[in-house]
Amino acid sequence: MGIKYLFSLLMMMVVFLKHLLSSRHCTKRWMDTSKSSWTQSLLESSDGDGAWCPAEPVFPAEAEYLQVDLRRLHLVALVGTQGRHAGGLGKEFSPGYRLRYSRDGHRWMSWKDRWGQEVISGNEDPGGVVLKDLGPPLVARLVRFYPRADRLMSVCLRVELYGCLWKDGLLSYTAPEGQTMYLSEAIHLNDSTYDGYSVSGLQYGGLGQLTDGVLGLDDFRRSRELRVWPGYDYVGWANASFPHGYVEMEFEFDRLRAFRAMQVHCNNMHRQGVRLPGGVDCRFKRGLASGWEEEAVRHTLAGGLGDPSARAVAVPLGGRVARFLQCRFFFAGPWLLFSEIAFLSDIVNGSSLVESSPPSDGSAPPAPGPAPTNFSNLEAEPRGQQPVPKAEGSPTAILIGCLVAIILLLLLVIALMLWRQHWRRLLGKVGIPRVHLCEVESPQDLLNLEFPLNILRSDATKNARNDFLKEVKIMSRLKDPNIIRLLGVCVQDDPLCMITDYMENGDLNQFLSAHQLEDKAVAGGPGPGGAAQGPTISYPMLLHVAAQIASGMRYLATLNFVHRDLATRNCLVGEHFTIKIADFGMSRNLYAGDYYRVQGRAVLPIRWMAWECILMGKFTTASDVWAFGVTLWEVLTLCRAQPFGQLTDEQVIENAGEFFRDQGRQVYLSRPPTCPLALYELILRCWSREPEERPLFPQLHRCLAEDALNMV
């Protein structure tokens, strides 16, 4: 098995174990639509012949869906998809899909990730299995898959759902909308994943971050989730906004329950004005039409001025029987911050189920009563055809022990495979210099260079040769005065080589940082030796340098070629300030600080990347324009500082989120001292939130070239 498959299996087990150990005691179950039953096998363990295929094309409309009826509320945390491969004969798969879900069979919600995106990327081939962690998870009885494609193509779908029974039975909670706290930065304490309604500052009819299983950190300004804003883990309210001194919340459950306790995970960072509630009052009612019972349960808390760590506060409810709870949380300080609310309750026998309302297809509802301990034959059918239940059961302690042992074994296998690959790469580089300076005797023989596809050695490493050939193919197409030229390639003998232009002044970053601005040198007077210290460069020449970069990028744009890593470090300087754009991997060792490592794997130049590249992985010519704006800022500052040098990598990612939200809190690079206001306004247009509002490279080149010419 490959590392990719082992890693996917490991992540699946980690998610399983995470939910198993959570307060909700989830047990993993998955559903395979090719077999229409709960199964212990993975998608790719079967022959892949059976699958659901829409009757009509899914492009451009997405009308048909595959509906899974779980018969009871479940917490769904992970989704697996696969096409129909049929042992190599099938070719149908879905490149993407959307999810809709319902808790009662009447109201349907669209699943969205933490940044509001609905479309989930699917499969790239019929045989591969793609696992997607649903962040946030969804609570539902019915789940619909809407396959989608960006062109006319055959689409088939096989799915697996990973999750557990929703034992809390909570259908919805009603609460005031979360507020924003202003410290050194804005802390957004809103319930951003709430799937209900919001009217006049009140959220009702849904579930959100207070039931997603994620407990907030001790410091509410930080978050457990990647690429989200400060305060994301918490929902919070200010005392000053509530004249009665309390926050009132209502909770609706699936059936009549006897409530033993309520657990509220609260922040207690009292030095920032956040404290535990001073007390809680809860009232109860058994039905929607009945009134609230007069006798309330009251519980007084200490307020927590000691230990500032976040904690779960237990509120005993005395076994009161109800379907609806109304709780008032009294302020003991300026702010209340909650990250999770859970209930300990027992189902009252004979109570009616909300899930027992007739499904949309008119089939009979399940009989009321306690939850069954076993399922059998749970099916998934398109458009809501009626399934029959099934599941497996095993002792939790044994299951956890087995999972931990398997995870440790997989980690060991993956570590050994990575170690082996690491040494193979090192041994492959032994004795191979990085760069040679050479002289071509007959350059005229290189004018009709053709890419030699037929002379590759058969024993070359597949990945290394593929990367080499890909780079040669790209460079062989590029013929522009401001793009580095490919003069020749060597593929007959190891090491594989390519011959390019020699740019004697190195990369633009080091070149400019060794200079000082001519006007500044004159104003400062001569140095101790009677002359200016170090080489100088004029402002018109900086514009000429920038215009050449814009010219090269204009050429790349005509080929629909996206550079993805435009920066001064990837521009080379030749004679007479000639600039040529390049992109060599060897520059990343010298400029390792400019790249952000994603979870120990990929490295990204996030300080040069547009917000849509960081958050959505979307690279276009418009995102290259964004990077050009940062590169122009580097040129005008003579590369004296790193872009956003005052921000950490994590803060740069958070700033990308501010561009996405577009609420006026995003941070821009400041105007360089040598930059006229008109030119800075042009740079700011390169950083427009909407890609279509950014200038094009022909316009950028024309403006810079004209300015440089006018100043000569």
Side-chain angles (χ1 to χ4, degrees):
M1 293 185 294
I3 291 181
K4 183 177 180 181
Y5 175 79
L6 286 175
F7 186 77
S8 298
L9 187 59
L10 177 62
M11 292 305 297
M12 179 190 69
M13 291 186 174
V14 169
V15 171
F16 180 9
L17 189 59
K18 172 184 174 183
H19 290 290
L20 189 65
L21 294 175
S22 72
S23 62
R24 313 215 181 276
H25 303 293
C26 290
T27 55
K28 182 183 70 174
R29 310 178 189 277
W30 55 84
M31 190 277 301
D32 183 349
T33 56
S34 67
K35 296 182 177 180
S36 298
S37 63
W38 288 98
T39 174
Q40 286 282 356
S41 61
L42 295 174
L43 282 172
E44 63 182 2
S45 65
S46 62
D47 58 11
D49 192 19
W52 172 72
C53 307
E56 301 294 334
V58 298
F59 177 83
E62 305 167 18
E64 295 190 61
Y65 56 83
L66 172 67
Q67 178 168 302
V68 180
D69 190 343
L70 301 174
R71 296 302 300 270
R72 295 179 59 193
L73 289 176
H74 281 71
L75 178 73
V76 181
L78 192 70
V79 176
T81 60
Q82 186 183 34
R84 189 183 73 89
H85 55 86
L89 300 178
K91 298 181 180 179
E92 300 89 357
F93 61 92
S94 179
Y97 57 94
R98 293 185 300 113
L99 293 179
R100 300 198 73 203
Y101 62 97
S102 176
R103 289 189 271 273
D104 59 7
H106 301 291
R107 177 171 174 259
W108 290 86
M109 292 82 75
S110 296
W111 179 86
K112 299 177 182 178
D113 66 14
R114 296 181 178 93
W115 303 276
Q117 301 297 313
E118 291 188 21
V119 178
I120 303 174
S121 57
N123 300 88
E124 298 179 353
D125 54 67
V129 176
V130 175
L131 297 175
K132 292 295 182 180
D133 192 351
L134 295 183
L138 58 89
V139 176
R141 192 198 83 192
L142 300 165
V143 181
R144 289 176 177 175
F145 288 78
Y146 288 79
R148 68 188 309 271
D150 55 2
R151 64 187 186 280
L152 287 174
M153 60 180 294
S154 297
V155 171
C156 288
L157 196 63
R158 310 169 74 226
V159 304
E160 291 175 346
L161 298 177
Y162 300 76
C164 62
L165 279 173
W166 182 242
K167 295 183 178 180
D168 276 16
L170 182 62
L171 290 178
S172 67
Y173 59 80
T174 301
E177 290 182 342
Q179 299 173 320
T180 301
M181 180 190 297
Y182 295 97
L183 299 175
S184 58
E185 57 182 338
I187 311 297
H188 302 283
L189 301 168
N190 58 310
D191 198 341
S192 59
T193 64
Y194 193 78
D195 59 11
Y197 304 99
S198 181
V199 177
S200 302
L202 188 69
Q203 293 180 317
Y204 66 96
L207 299 174
Q209 288 178 258
L210 295 182
T211 54
D212 63 359
V214 178
L215 301 181
L217 300 173
D218 292 343
D219 187 348
F220 62 88
R221 298 168 297 184
R222 298 170 55 230
S223 172
R224 294 184 183 275
E225 308 295 341
L226 179 66
R227 300 179 183 175
V228 293
W229 52 92
Y232 176 86
D233 292 343
Y234 286 93
V235 182
W237 307 272
N239 192 351
S241 302
F242 296 85
H244 298 294
Y246 59 80
V247 172
E248 185 174 274
M249 300 180 65
E250 293 185 8
F251 305 89
E252 178 185 358
F253 290 83
D254 57 351
R255 66 186 84 183
L256 215 56
R257 291 173 173 264
F259 292 94
R260 290 178 281 139
M262 173 176 62
Q263 291 183 338
V264 185
H265 191 269
C266 313
N267 192 273
N268 193 37
M269 203 172 178
H270 46 75
R271 293 184 179 178
Q272 299 294 339
V274 181
R275 290 180 60 182
L276 302 177
V280 182
D281 284 4
C282 290
R283 296 195 298 166
F284 306 81
K285 69 177 180 179
R286 299 193 173 209
L288 189 61
S290 58
W292 295 104
E293 298 176 1
E294 293 185 1
E295 184 182 358
V297 171
R298 291 182 170 85
H299 184 68
T300 303
L301 299 170
L305 274 178
D307 184 3
S309 60
R311 69 196 70 175
V313 174
V315 179
L317 298 178
R320 298 285 290 273
V321 176
R323 261 197 62 203
F324 298 87
L325 273 74
Q326 182 188 77
C327 294
R328 293 175 177 176
F329 301 90
F330 290 87
F331 286 91
W335 283 86
L336 275 179
L337 268 63
F338 298 163
S339 69
E340 197 76 5
I341 298 180
F343 293 86
L344 302 178
S345 64
D346 301 307
I347 299 170
V348 177
N349 290 335
S351 62
S352 61
L353 292 171
V354 170
E355 293 100 324
S356 65
S357 57
S360 57
D361 63 355
S363 57
T373 56
N374 291 300
F375 295 103
S376 62
N377 191 29
L378 179 59
E379 299 182 352
E381 298 293 343
R383 296 198 180 272
Q385 297 178 15
Q386 186 64 26
V388 187
K390 176 179 182 181
E392 80 284 7
S394 59
T396 302
I398 298 177
L399 187 59
I400 291 177
C402 293
L403 276 177
V404 171
I406 294 173
I407 288 173
L408 292 176
L409 181 60
L410 285 175
L411 284 172
L412 178 61
V413 172
I414 292 174
L416 290 175
M417 295 179 70
L418 289 174
W419 181 255
R420 181 183 177 189
Q421 290 186 359
H422 171 71
W423 277 105
R424 287 179 64 183
R425 285 195 297 267
L426 287 181
L427 292 174
K429 293 180 180 179
V430 172
I432 301 178
R434 290 171 63 192
V435 179
H436 287 286
L437 177 62
C438 57
E439 183 176 340
V440 178
E441 296 180 354
S442 304
Q444 67 276 5
D445 296 339
L446 300 175
L447 295 179
N448 298 320
L449 175 68
E450 297 292 340
F451 177 62
L453 288 171
N454 56 347
I455 56 173
L456 292 179
R457 291 170 54 111
S458 59
D459 60 345
T461 304
K462 184 177 179 181
N463 290 339
R465 287 184 176 271
N466 286 342
D467 292 341
F468 172 79
L469 296 179
K470 184 184 298 182
E471 188 168 359
V472 170
K473 283 182 181 179
I474 293 173
M475 293 187 66
S476 65
R477 295 174 53 197
L478 306 181
K479 295 179 175 62
D480 184 82
N482 297 117
I483 302 294
I484 199 72
R485 266 194 316 166
L486 177 67
L487 301 176
V489 293
C490 175
V491 293
Q492 289 182 327
D493 299 311
D494 288 332
L496 306 181
C497 304
M498 62 177 68
I499 304 172
T500 64
D501 290 328
Y502 173 58
M503 309 295 284
E504 57 268 27
N505 289 318
D507 71 74
L508 181 59
N509 188 285
Q510 294 191 63
F511 179 78
L512 289 179
S513 61
H515 286 68
Q516 58 179 319
L517 195 62
E518 191 173 84
D519 295 341
K520 182 178 180 181
V522 172
Q533 297 178 355
T536 62
I537 188 170
S538 66
Y539 175 73
M541 185 56 68
L542 292 181
L543 293 181
H544 176 60
V545 166
Q548 292 182 77
I549 300 174
S551 177
M553 294 304 297
R554 177 186 62 178
Y555 170 75
L556 294 181
T558 62
L559 301 179
N560 293 322
F561 180 84
V562 181
H563 190 283
R564 295 182 178 226
D565 194 9
L566 179 62
T568 55
R569 62 181 173 272
N570 286 327
C571 297
L572 303 180
V573 187
E575 292 181 334
H576 310 299
F577 293 97
T578 301
I579 305 298
K580 295 193 177 186
I581 299 171
D583 183 14
F584 295 108
M586 62 185 178
S587 67
R588 297 190 180 180
N589 293 328
L590 186 61
Y591 298 102
D594 292 343
Y595 293 84
Y596 174 73
R597 184 167 297 278
V598 181
Q599 296 180 352
R601 300 189 300 276
V603 289
L604 298 174
I606 57 174
R607 297 171 187 270
W608 284 259
M609 289 168 61
W611 68 266
E612 69 268 17
C613 303
I614 296 176
L615 300 184
M616 298 184 292
K618 183 180 181 181
F619 291 85
T620 62
T621 299
S623 64
D624 274 352
V625 170
W626 182 298
F628 176 79
V630 182
T631 305
L632 181 53
W633 181 88
E634 287 187 280
V635 170
L636 295 174
T637 59
L638 273 69
C639 302
R640 291 293 195 269
Q642 186 186 52
F644 300 106
Q646 77 280 13
L647 302 181
T648 64
D649 288 338
E650 290 72 20
Q651 289 172 330
V652 172
I653 295 174
E654 292 172 2
N655 192 42
E658 294 296 346
F659 273 95
F660 168 71
R661 288 185 287 275
D662 197 24
Q663 297 175 349
R665 290 188 288 268
Q666 56 266 44
V667 177
Y668 295 89
L669 292 171
S670 60
R671 179 163 68 100
T674 60
C675 180
L677 182 59
L679 180 56
Y680 183 61
E681 290 176 350
L682 180 64
I683 295 175
L684 289 177
R685 288 179 56 199
C686 296
W687 302 327
S688 299
R689 182 191 185 277
E690 303 301 331
E692 59 270 14
E693 295 179 2
R694 299 168 195 165
L696 302 177
F697 279 115
Q699 178 186 357
L700 291 167
H701 173 255
R702 182 171 60 253
C703 293
L704 291 168
E706 290 176 354
D707 287 352
L709 185 62
N710 292 334
M711 297 193 67
V712 174

